[in-house]
């Protein structure tokens, strides 16, 4: 993706306030040439950065969120009290829900230690039917429906999408007739950090030798790429040599360094791979030359 287009998308996201669902609808209308997956990935990354920056402030407002919730209950407001609080204060609904749940259990004398409170919060966010207070349970459930970034359902879907694209990578590599070892096989043989595909025989892509391929079902921006480079790609390069990174939902062109020979970046599996055939050793039938 060209930097100008990327910065226009990011600029709109950073100016947007309220629910990410609303922002996503606007992005689809403003940037129809971009795929839904690409726009949602950029939105998710940017919104998570915003929430991290405001983390301490959000934590400090726990009592405020709890009081606003109780006020809504007292006034018999329509369902969606916590969602509306989150929208008004520009915080992810599930993050507000977690803090309200935490306060709820802290106010309960039988809630136990802080570790137990955290355990209860995470468990009840995943299964709201376990929350003793039926009204609160209903409110928390609505948060999981309206939050498309931090909801447990979204986390499960994100993990599932990642696995689907890893399967897609393996299928496409197989169709190209390339032998490879997957992540599970490498871990069984003692590798702690492993790419999704370790090629048995290297290939050439635009003049670069490729020994491994890593699949990422997201958009590659500067921060994402730097983080993965530090924690994964450089380890792969040290162990296996240069490789290929695939950001399936696209990437901003500024992360590509033309002179970097450690790995190449794509948003698909290249079809122009040059196979490097192993040497063809012929048996010498002359008597006395065998070993």
């Amino acid at each position: 993706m060209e930097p100008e287009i990327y910065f226009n998308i990011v600029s709109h996201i950073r100016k947007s306030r309220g629910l990410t669902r609303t922002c996503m609808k606007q992005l689809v209308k403003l940037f129809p040439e971009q795929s839904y997956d690409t726009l949602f990935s950029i939105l998710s990354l940017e919104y998570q950065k915003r929430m991290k920056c405001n983390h301490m402030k959000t934590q400090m407002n726990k009592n405020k969120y709890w009081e606003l919730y109780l006020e809504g209950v007292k006034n018999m407001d329509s369902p969606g009290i916590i969602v509306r609080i989150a929208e008004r204060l520009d915080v992810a609904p599930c993050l507000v829900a977690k803090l309200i749940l935490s306060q709820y259990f802290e106010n309960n004398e039988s809630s136990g230690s802080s570790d137990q409170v955290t355990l209860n919060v995470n468990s009840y966010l995943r299964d709201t039917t376990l929350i003793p207070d039926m009204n609160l349970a209903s409110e928390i459930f609505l948060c999981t429906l309206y939050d498309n970034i931090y909801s447990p359902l979204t986390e499960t879907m994100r993990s599932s999408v990642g696995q689907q694209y890893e399967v897609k990578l393996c299928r496409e590599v197989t169709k190209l007739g390339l032998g490879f070892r997957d992540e599970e096989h490498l871990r069984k043989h003692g590798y702690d950090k492993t790419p999704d595909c370790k090629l048995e025989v290297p290939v050439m892509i635009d003049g670069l030798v490729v020994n491994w391929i890593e699949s990422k079902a997201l958009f590659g921006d500067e921060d994402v790429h730097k983080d993965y480079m530090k924690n994964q790609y450089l380890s792969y390069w040290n162990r296996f040599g240069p490789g290929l990174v695939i950001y399936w939902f696209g990437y901003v062109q500024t992360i590509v360094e033309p002179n970097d020979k450690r790995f190449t970046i794509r948003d698909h599996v290249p079809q122009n791979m040059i196979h490097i055939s192993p040497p063809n050793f012929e048996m010498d039938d002359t008597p006395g030359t065998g070993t």
Side-chain angles (χ1 to χ4, degrees):
M1 180 183 292
E2 295 180 1
E4 184 178 356
I5 297 175
Y6 169 71
F7 290 131
N8 286 339
I9 295 173
V10 169
S11 176
H12 181 80
I13 294 172
R14 292 177 179 175
K15 292 177 182 177
S16 177
R17 292 293 180 268
L19 299 178
T20 53
R21 293 165 61 95
T22 303
C23 182
M24 188 60 202
K25 292 179 181 178
Q26 296 170 350
L27 290 175
V28 170
K29 292 181 179 180
L30 291 172
F31 305 95
E33 71 282 0
Q34 302 299 326
S35 72
Y36 185 94
D37 288 334
T38 295
L39 293 174
F40 182 71
S41 184
I42 296 174
L43 171 62
S44 298
L45 294 170
E46 284 298 315
Y47 196 72
Q48 289 176 56
K49 293 174 189 176
R50 184 192 302 180
M51 293 300 101
K52 287 180 181 179
C53 289
N54 297 334
H55 176 72
M56 290 303 298
K57 181 180 178 180
T58 302
Q59 293 290 323
M60 292 172 62
N61 285 331
K62 182 168 67 172
N63 289 332
K64 177 182 178 180
Y65 299 149
W66 175 248
E67 291 172 0
L68 288 173
Y69 167 68
L70 291 180
E71 182 181 349
V73 173
K74 181 179 179 181
N75 294 335
M76 301 182 67
D77 291 347
S78 59
I81 296 172
I82 300 178
V83 172
R84 290 192 293 273
I85 293 173
E87 183 177 16
R88 185 168 70 251
L89 299 178
D90 191 35
V91 183
C94 281
L95 296 185
V96 177
K98 278 188 174 184
L99 293 174
I100 289 177
L101 270 177
S102 175
Q103 189 63 51
Y104 169 78
F105 283 109
E106 286 179 11
N107 293 342
N108 185 342
E109 293 182 359
S110 62
S111 61
S113 64
S114 59
D115 290 340
Q116 185 62 43
V117 170
T118 301
L119 179 62
N120 288 338
V121 167
N122 292 331
S123 299
Y124 290 178
L125 190 66
R126 289 191 295 269
D127 185 359
T128 57
T129 62
L130 299 176
I131 301 174
D133 186 319
M134 294 182 60
N135 291 327
L136 180 58
S138 176
E139 287 291 325
I140 299 298
F141 178 69
L142 287 176
C143 289
T144 65
L145 294 181
Y146 278 85
D147 191 336
N148 60 353
I149 304 294
Y150 287 95
S151 168
L153 177 60
T154 301
E155 293 177 2
T156 300
M157 292 175 62
R158 187 181 295 118
S159 176
S160 177
V161 169
Q163 293 175 357
Q164 288 176 19
Y165 276 90
E166 288 178 12
V167 171
K168 178 180 179 179
L169 170 62
C170 292
R171 286 178 177 173
E172 294 199 19
V173 170
T174 300
K175 287 181 180 179
L176 291 172
L178 304 179
F180 66 92
R181 298 294 185 181
D182 60 19
E183 190 174 10
E184 182 178 356
H185 175 89
L186 293 172
R187 285 182 176 173
K188 286 182 179 179
H189 286 75
Y191 291 100
D192 55 342
K193 292 188 176 182
T194 59
D196 293 312
C197 284
K198 168 63 177 69
L199 300 179
E200 293 284 81
V201 179
V203 296
M204 292 279 289
I205 300 177
D206 296 334
L208 178 70
V209 175
V210 168
N211 296 279
W212 52 268
I213 306 176
E214 179 70 7
S215 168
K216 296 298 181 189
L218 45 70
F219 183 87
D221 66 10
E222 294 276 358
D223 293 331
V224 163
H225 188 61
K226 287 179 181 177
D227 184 61
Y228 278 123
M229 185 187 299
K230 177 182 177 181
N231 296 307
Q232 291 186 357
Y233 307 155
L234 292 180
S235 296
Y236 303 161
W237 175 67
N238 285 328
R239 288 169 171 80
F240 309 115
L244 166 65
V245 176
I246 300 178
Y247 291 111
W248 292 103
F249 302 155
Y251 56 89
V252 61
Q253 291 177 355
T254 52
I255 70 173
V256 178
E257 299 180 18
N259 297 323
D260 193 342
K261 303 301 181 183
R262 296 171 297 182
F263 35 77
T264 186
I265 302 171
R266 295 289 190 277
D267 58 7
H268 62 281
V269 176
Q271 301 298 306
N272 62 336
M273 295 183 182
I274 299 176
H275 294 231
I276 303 177
S277 301
N280 183 18
F281 293 104
E282 297 183 358
M283 182 73 70
D284 188 345
D285 295 329
T286 305
T289 60
T291 57

